[in-house]
Amino acid sequence: MPRTCRDDRRDDRRWVAPIRSGAHRATATIALGRIHQAKANGTPLPENAAATADGTPTTDPGQAVMPLPLGGAKGSGMSLAFELLTSVLVGAPILSSFHSDDQAGREHRQNALLTALDPTSFGGSAADFTAAVDDTLGTLKSLSVADGADGVYYPGERSAALAVERAANGVPVAPKVRRDLTARAAEYGITPPGTV
């Protein structure tokens, strides 16, 4: 299941990423994009997923300005740790800018911290690490499935499957969003793609 990539500089070296390509992790209950999507679709947000400007939890996507962290107070601590590593450490703090008096600070930005680890630095071989990751994920997949669930998934697995399905069958677009996109395309003289 993990992806092994060749290091072109040394053919005998390998690195292993137990997360599929395109995966990322966030500590919020939902992504900011999901708030915008719910607003465009006119659908409510899940309970305790987002907050208004004064921090009050809301299910109204029109009032929501920020997602709430996973796991309450403990999740807030993890979220702060990630903010310090992925924003402050790389020289582009998002949280303090977002909550400043400067409106430009509210513009959406992305930051990242990429960490590369050589599993052989920890005493084992890359093959041992790959086998241990496969064993761990296999154990996870063999756990009992909760009532009403269709399986046990590791992070990124459902998103990867959804990406494959949408690449084959198209991306669903809400009617309101399609109307908005069609109107904007007309403004620029662009013919929007047809439906699948």
Side-chain angles (χ1 to χ4, degrees):
M1 285 183 217
R3 186 172 74 187
T4 303
C5 297
R6 185 169 58 85
D7 181 338
D8 290 327
R9 293 169 292 151
R10 292 184 54 195
D11 287 342
D12 63 325
R13 302 293 295 258
R14 302 282 187 264
W15 66 267
V16 181
I19 300 173
R20 300 245 179 225
S21 64
H24 68 26
R25 298 293 154 252
T27 57
T29 304
I30 59 173
L32 191 57
R34 293 263 172 109
I35 294 173
H36 296 302
Q37 186 178 28
K39 185 176 181 180
N41 293 343
T43 56
L45 298 168
E47 292 285 337
N48 297 312
T52 61
D54 68 0
T56 304
T58 183
T59 59
D60 181 352
Q63 297 295 316
V65 298
M66 63 186 138
L68 291 172
L70 288 167
K74 288 184 179 182
S76 292
M78 183 178 286
S79 184
L80 177 59
F82 277 106
E83 166 72 10
L84 294 173
L85 289 172
T86 63
S87 295
V88 176
L89 182 65
V90 300
I94 291 177
L95 184 69
S96 56
S97 296
F98 185 84
H99 291 284
S100 73
D101 292 331
D102 182 6
Q103 275 304 110
R106 291 189 163 272
E107 292 177 12
H108 181 72
R109 295 176 306 197
Q110 290 293 138
N111 285 345
L113 173 68
L114 304 177
T115 306
L117 299 173
D118 179 357
T120 62
S121 297
F122 298 92
S125 70
D128 291 340
F129 178 71
T130 300
V133 169
D134 285 342
D135 185 48
T136 300
L137 295 178
T139 299
L140 178 72
K141 296 293 287 177
S142 70
L143 294 174
S144 298
V145 178
D147 290 339
D150 62 349
V152 176
Y153 299 97
Y154 54 85
E157 185 178 16
R158 287 186 289 188
S159 297
L162 185 60
V164 169
E165 190 273 325
R166 287 185 174 173
N169 301 315
V171 178
V173 178
K176 181 183 182 306
V177 173
R178 176 130 181 106
R179 284 190 303 273
D180 291 346
L181 290 174
T182 301
R184 286 188 184 217
E187 290 175 24
Y188 291 99
I190 298 170
T191 303
T195 57
V196 177

